[in-house]
Amino acid sequence: TSEDCMRVKAQKLQEDVQMLFQTFTSVVQKMNLIDTLQRLGIDHLFEDQINTAMNEIHEKEFNSCSLYDVALRFRLLRESGLRVSPDVFSKFKGKDGSLSRDIISEPRGLLSLYNAAYLSIPGESELDEAVIFAGHHLESMRSSLNYPFSEQVKRNLEIPLPRTLKRLDAPYYIAEYQQEKAYNTTILELAKLDFNLLQRLHQEEIKAFCQWGNDLYEEVRLTYSRHRIVECYFWSYTEYHERHYGDARIILAKLLVLVTLLDDTFDMHATLEEGWKLNEAIQRWDESAITLLPEYLKGYFVRLMNTFREFEDELKPDHKYRVAYSRKAFQNLCKHYQQESEWFHSSHIPSFEDHVGHLRWYSDTICRFTYGYG
């Protein structure tokens, strides 16, 4: 089939690109190669090679005076979880400790600094200042920049590179990459093939997932709930777009659909007493708890129990423990929805600290769902 031919060709191209990790010997060459693969969305094909190269980049002394290269190295290291100090930017500062105006004439360096500085950690005020400095000057020069760099600046000023959804940004860079001075035809062809092959897979998945979701909504009959099947798959897809994360992608998407139904029940329909009963049933996590529930929630509760059981059946024996963590996160999430419901029904306005703690916990729960199956 045409897809089989595409796979064979992609495999050959992958082998050719893999050789570049041996061909390129300098730190700058390897950094640019890794950056290109990441931005084209094909870094998942070279995880071992990239990890090895990043450790080499981290260990080797680097004394470049190029703002672009220094900032690129800083960003790549931090994204890889490797330690690097913001002191590497000291050489680009004036006597007063602020960034030198000399670097304003380096738009590529400024954009590299801008994206790198978004990987600051609390207390690194110099990086926060770098974001403001670089962002201001990039904005002022936007109209004078040439394509495709002008488009990259526009996108990154809206959403900096470390915060972009890589799968969504990849098509833009695929279109722009061949305008780069040092673009590689093999890398570009592989990026196009891999994107199209994955797109076919995702299209097949979303078709089956929509059928699952429609059957779920038909079964539980919670007509007040938002129909967010496609959005839930999209959320999961942006976290796990790679082929080998297929199971994780679908499990997370199903979890998000179940969470949406739970959220809408507490927010839009359940009385305070019904919310208490639903929360108690979910905390007990036993099918016998169905007797606690009003009739309209029984179908949802049964489907919830069955879906988690299906997750466990689908996972390998040494991965089944992950379902227990997801179940606990789901139970804790239900507690917090119940807390919000109690605030609402008592007309209580929570303090700022309560809101922050609530949001922080909610974010942590979603992270547990998101990374539990990766």
Side-chain angles (χ1 to χ4, degrees), residues 57-221:
I57 291 167
H58 185 235
E59 292 167 3
K60 283 187 178 179
E61 189 174 348
F62 191 69
N63 294 314
S64 175
C65 291
S66 163
L67 175 60
Y68 177 86
D69 291 341
V70 171
L72 175 59
R73 178 177 180 272
F74 181 91
R75 176 169 63 82
L76 292 176
L77 288 174
R78 286 228 165 164
E79 287 178 334
S80 298
L82 297 169
R83 186 180 296 276
V84 57
S85 169
D87 291 345
V88 297
F89 297 112
S90 297
K91 65 181 73 176
F92 305 106
K93 295 180 179 180
K95 293 180 180 179
D96 62 353
S98 60
L99 287 166
S100 170
R101 295 187 64 83
D102 293 342
I103 64 175
I104 297 173
S105 61
E106 302 178 52
R108 279 173 53 82
L110 276 178
L111 183 60
S112 186
L113 172 64
Y114 177 79
N115 284 319
Y118 266 95
L119 292 167
S120 64
I121 59 177
E124 293 180 337
S125 58
E126 64 268 49
L127 293 181
D128 299 332
E129 293 167 6
V131 168
I132 297 171
F133 178 91
H136 169 72
H137 290 292
L138 286 167
E139 187 66 54
S140 66
M141 66 176 69
R142 265 179 59 182
S143 60
S144 63
L145 299 174
N146 296 324
Y147 178 88
F149 184 67
S150 58
E151 286 299 308
Q152 293 167 18
V153 169
K154 178 184 176 182
R155 288 201 307 278
N156 290 167
L157 286 176
E158 292 175 357
I159 305 176
L161 200 56
R163 298 182 182 179
T164 57
L165 299 174
K166 299 296 189 288
R167 179 66 178 174
L168 301 187
D169 197 58
Y172 293 107
Y173 194 62
I174 288 173
E176 297 161 356
Y177 176 59
Q178 59 188 350
Q179 305 294 325
E180 301 278 351
K181 289 181 180 179
Y183 99 96
N184 182 297
T185 55
T186 303
I187 292 176
L188 180 60
E189 190 174 4
L190 175 60
K192 290 178 178 179
L193 270 175
D194 186 69
F195 187 90
N196 290 331
L197 283 168
L198 281 176
Q199 187 177 58
R200 288 190 178 193
L201 171 64
H202 297 146
Q203 288 170 342
E204 292 171 2
E205 283 183 351
I206 197 169
K207 181 179 178 181
F209 185 70
C210 284
Q211 184 62 58
W212 176 88
N214 290 332
D215 291 345
L216 170 70
Y217 275 79
E218 180 67 26
E219 181 180 333
V220 301
R221 296 187 179 279

Side-chain angles (χ1 to χ4, degrees), residues 236-252:
S236 179
Y237 150 91
T238 57
E239 290 290 340
Y240 300 119
H241 70 269
E242 298 89 344
R243 180 176 297 275
H244 57 281
Y245 286 140
D247 290 342
R249 189 161 48 246
I250 298 304
I251 287 175
L252 175 58

Side-chain angles (χ1 to χ4, degrees), residues 158-334:
E158 292 175 357
I159 305 176
L161 200 56
R163 298 182 182 179
T164 57
L165 299 174
K166 299 296 189 288
R167 179 66 178 174
L168 301 187
D169 197 58
Y172 293 107
Y173 194 62
I174 288 173
E176 297 161 356
Y177 176 59
Q178 59 188 350
Q179 305 294 325
E180 301 278 351
K181 289 181 180 179
Y183 99 96
N184 182 297
T185 55
T186 303
I187 292 176
L188 180 60
E189 190 174 4
L190 175 60
K192 290 178 178 179
L193 270 175
D194 186 69
F195 187 90
N196 290 331
L197 283 168
L198 281 176
Q199 187 177 58
R200 288 190 178 193
L201 171 64
H202 297 146
Q203 288 170 342
E204 292 171 2
E205 283 183 351
I206 197 169
K207 181 179 178 181
F209 185 70
C210 284
Q211 184 62 58
W212 176 88
N214 290 332
D215 291 345
L216 170 70
Y217 275 79
E218 180 67 26
E219 181 180 333
V220 301
R221 296 187 179 279
L222 301 182
T223 55
Y224 51 81
S225 184
R226 296 162 292 174
H227 196 279
R228 299 190 65 189
I229 299 169
V230 174
E231 291 94 327
C232 290
Y233 178 83
F234 178 75
W235 184 345
S236 179
Y237 150 91
T238 57
E239 290 290 340
Y240 300 119
H241 70 269
E242 298 89 344
R243 180 176 297 275
H244 57 281
Y245 286 140
D247 290 342
R249 189 161 48 246
I250 298 304
I251 287 175
L252 175 58
K254 289 180 178 180
L255 279 169
L256 293 171
V257 171
L258 293 170
V259 166
T260 297
L261 291 166
L262 184 70
D263 186 26
D264 288 347
T265 296
F266 277 103
D267 281 354
M268 301 167 60
H269 195 83
T271 65
L272 184 58
E273 183 179 357
E274 287 171 344
W276 284 336
K277 290 178 178 178
L278 177 57
N279 181 47
E280 183 179 347
I282 288 176
Q283 299 312 316
R284 284 172 55 176
W285 206 269
D286 188 281
E287 289 183 2
S288 65
I290 196 171
T291 57
L292 297 170
L293 298 173
E295 197 63 34
Y296 77 93
L297 287 176
K298 290 181 178 179
Y300 171 74
F301 185 72
V302 169
R303 190 59 185 265
L304 176 66
M305 297 291 105
N306 289 341
T307 302
F308 269 78
R309 196 155 39 238
E310 289 166 8
F311 292 162
E312 198 163 352
D313 292 341
E314 292 166 6
L315 292 174
K316 296 176 182 178
D318 58 335
H319 290 173
K320 292 184 185 295
Y321 71 92
R322 300 177 183 184
V323 178
Y325 286 103
S326 291
R327 183 178 68 241
K328 186 62 177 177
F330 198 95
Q331 289 172 314
N332 287 338
L333 184 62
C334 186

Side-chain angles (χ1 to χ4, degrees), residues 34 37-47 50 241:
I34 293 169
L37 297 177
Q38 289 179 345
R39 295 176 68 184
L40 289 171
I42 53 175
D43 52 308
H44 64 99
L45 301 175
F46 307 97
E47 289 180 356
I50 289 174
H241 70 269

